[in-house]
Amino acid sequence: KRREKMLEEGNKADWGAGEALAYASILEDGIPIRITGQDTERGTFAHRHLVLYDVETAKAYCPMHGLEEAKASFDIRNSPLSEAGVLGFEYGYSVHSPETLVIWEAQFGDFANAAQVIFDQFISSARAKWGEKSNMVILLPHGYEGQGPEHSSARLERFLQMAAENNWIVANVTSSAQFFHLIRRQAKMRGREEARPLILMSPKSLLRNQRVASEAKEFTQGKFQVLRDQPNLPISKEKAKRLLLGTGKVMVDIEEAIDESKDNFDWLRAVRIEQLYPFPKKELEKVIDELPNIEEIVWVQEEPKNMGSWHYVADYLRNLMRDGQSLRYIGRPNRSSPAVGEPNIHKVLQNKIIEKAINPSKGGTTREGN
């Protein structure tokens, strides 16, 4: 019922609805789509529902197959927990069928660990080694929500470490419209020289969060934004002292904390990095140039310091700093495990990160002068 009314005035389309709109519009453009992975038909977190089963006859129905406007095929299949085999096959499919948008989704982003050899040997480097072109999409559910070390991290740091020579795109978006435009952009790359795989940190709890839902006009107007302003912060360029940067779910957590606070945040400018690689250096440089009184640039993340984006973004941020500005890291310290296993401990640590990000009196674990 919610999805039926999603595009009416005053309503918003959540992640699953935005995804369905993306696929439907791509099919209308005449581009075939192929999706595989564990639980992809309904979505691991029951957000997708692109295959429905009659409980009496057991017959399957896919809403995408009922689109009169569709000019291409739509194939979605649940696959076994054999990540290396499935991902390897799908990568090969994307290379040899460049007219098709091929998507592979991990049940949890962590499960991509079992297919690491495919990323290392093929997806990250096959273009440089053999001239193979692919615009394959890899969806990796990622976010720290107290689900433990095996269900939190898609190992974002690994994909950023392997990012070079424009070999792929790494993104972590925070709205259904952003996902819509990004997937459509990816589909348009098919068969072209600029075709690159897309590594996307996709959400879990945010799937139904209205903060990532988008109005109809956000789908019909505009395009994918590599940077997004924090939605609930008034932009005060003259008063801003801290530029807060981050990517993904932690920025939505900060949005919620700001809404719940009664403090004045005119000293804070916050920007979400929606595309991490290629890094949006020019766009971020423009943001910094418009902030004459910034004293510190702060990177916030929920992953441990030796994981996530920090070591990747730090060099870019140092090069963008102005005289007198400092660079600060806010997040978990170095860890051997991606996340703690106790939900209550997770919650305490997560709240501390959020508090430090929006409270200038709280410190970070790293601070550097320019």
Side-chain angles (χ1 to χ4, degrees), residues 234-283:
I235 298 176
S236 179
K237 296 179 180 179
E238 294 295 328
K239 295 182 180 180
K241 302 292 185 182
R242 169 183 284 187
L243 173 59
L244 182 68
L245 304 172
T247 186
K249 185 186 78 68
V250 70
M251 298 302 285
V252 180
D253 292 344
I254 289 171
E255 179 185 346
E256 293 176 347
I258 289 174
D259 279 348
E260 293 171 1
S261 174
K262 297 180 181 179
D263 294 341
N264 180 2
F265 289 96
D266 60 0
W267 54 271
L268 181 64
R269 177 85 160 88
V271 175
R272 299 177 181 182
I273 311 293
E274 301 275 293
Q275 177 180 290
L276 287 155
Y277 185 82
F279 190 77
K281 182 179 177 182
K282 291 182 179 179
E283 293 83 353

Side-chain angles (χ1 to χ4, degrees), residues 52-111:
L52 306 172
Y53 287 89
D54 188 306
V55 296
E56 295 181 356
T57 66
K59 288 185 177 179
Y61 172 72
C62 176
M64 292 294 164
H65 293 163
L67 294 175
E68 294 181 0
E69 300 86 353
K71 302 181 183 69
S73 64
F74 182 84
D75 192 16
I76 183 168
R77 308 280 180 174
N78 290 337
S79 61
L81 281 162
S82 303
E83 288 85 0
V86 177
L87 181 60
F89 181 89
E90 298 303 329
Y91 171 73
Y93 197 109
S94 73
V95 172
H96 289 280
S97 181
E99 73 278 2
T100 304
L101 179 64
V102 177
I103 302 171
W104 179 75
E105 180 179 58
Q107 192 169 43
F108 286 83
D110 318 66
F111 294 4

